[in-house]
Amino acid sequence: MKQPSWVSDGWEEEKKANSKAGLEAESALLDELEKKKKDMSSMENAVHELEKKWAQVQENALKQPSPGQREKTLDKHLHGLIEQLAVKQAQAEGLLGEIHLKEMELERLNGLWRRTESSNSEANTAARNRFSKGSSDKLHSLSDYEGHQRLPYHSAGRTESQQRLMLLRSAFVLYILALHILVFIRLSF
């Protein structure tokens, strides 16, 4: 059976219309697919940039300690400084003890020196008196005058040693004060 020509023309037109619509739909789908690919690519770039930033944040976090870690480090540092201060104070006290012992020994030696000087001067005076019995009283009074002008040997030395000791003690006190100030400054920063 043969179909009429008007039916075959209708089918062909419908086929052409359907194929045109199919091509247009396919083209629209391809365009939409391209848009989706571009969107996906831009999203991948954004994700990649965010991953880089996150890695940088994590790296910076590792470089900078947390407040708790900083506090522990500062606490350890404080204990170390306190121990150093205690050692320095013990050394200063030991030096002060040695200075006191040396001062006492110096006083003892000065006493011995004074006794030796006085015994020598008494011996010299006795020898002079033996030889000067025939001399006039003026000479004798002159030797007495010279003896009164002489000051004890250690009197100037003693005040000088006391001044040195006071200066040294003051220096140690200032040194310990400076160490305390340094420790407090370190703690505050």
Side-chain angles (χ1 to χ4, degrees), residues 5-18:
S5 68
W6 59 270
V7 172
S8 68
D9 284 338
W11 277 102
E12 283 183 28
E13 280 182 24
E14 196 175 314
K15 269 187 178 180
K16 285 182 185 177
N18 281 343

Side-chain angles (χ1 to χ4, degrees), residues 3-37:
Q3 291 184 352
S5 68
W6 59 270
V7 172
S8 68
D9 284 338
W11 277 102
E12 283 183 28
E13 280 182 24
E14 196 175 314
K15 269 187 178 180
K16 285 182 185 177
N18 281 343
S19 80
K20 267 188 181 180
L23 285 176
E24 286 176 6
E26 191 176 311
S27 171
L29 283 175
L30 287 176
D31 287 342
E32 192 175 323
L33 184 62
E34 283 297 317
K35 283 183 185 178
K36 294 287 183 186
K37 282 183 182 179

Side-chain angles (χ1 to χ4, degrees), residues 99-149:
I99 288 169
H100 183 66
L101 289 174
K102 294 294 181 184
E103 185 180 77
M104 288 173 44
E105 186 177 340
L106 180 63
E107 289 295 322
R108 185 183 61 82
L109 290 174
N110 279 338
L112 287 174
W113 179 257
R114 270 182 280 145
R115 277 187 248 136
T116 306
E117 279 286 314
S118 67
S119 67
N120 282 343
S121 79
E122 286 175 11
N124 286 340
T125 306
R128 270 192 235 142
N129 286 339
R130 269 188 281 148
F131 292 117
S132 67
K133 282 185 180 178
S135 301
S136 69
D137 289 335
K138 289 180 183 178
L139 185 62
H140 184 62
S141 65
L142 183 62
S143 69
D144 284 344
Y145 180 71
E146 288 174 5
H148 287 296
Q149 279 187 338

Side-chain angles (χ1 to χ4, degrees), residues 143-159:
S143 69
D144 284 344
Y145 180 71
E146 288 174 5
H148 287 296
Q149 279 187 338
R150 254 191 238 166
L151 293 174
Y153 174 74
H154 73 285
S155 66
R158 184 185 305 172
T159 58

Side-chain angles (χ1 to χ4, degrees), residues 41 43 63-64 66 108-109 114 118 139 164 166-167:
S41 174
M43 289 296 271
K63 286 181 183 176
Q64 297 175 353
S66 69
R108 185 183 61 82
L109 290 174
R114 270 182 280 145
S118 67
L139 185 62
R164 282 186 196 159
M166 287 173 42
L167 182 64

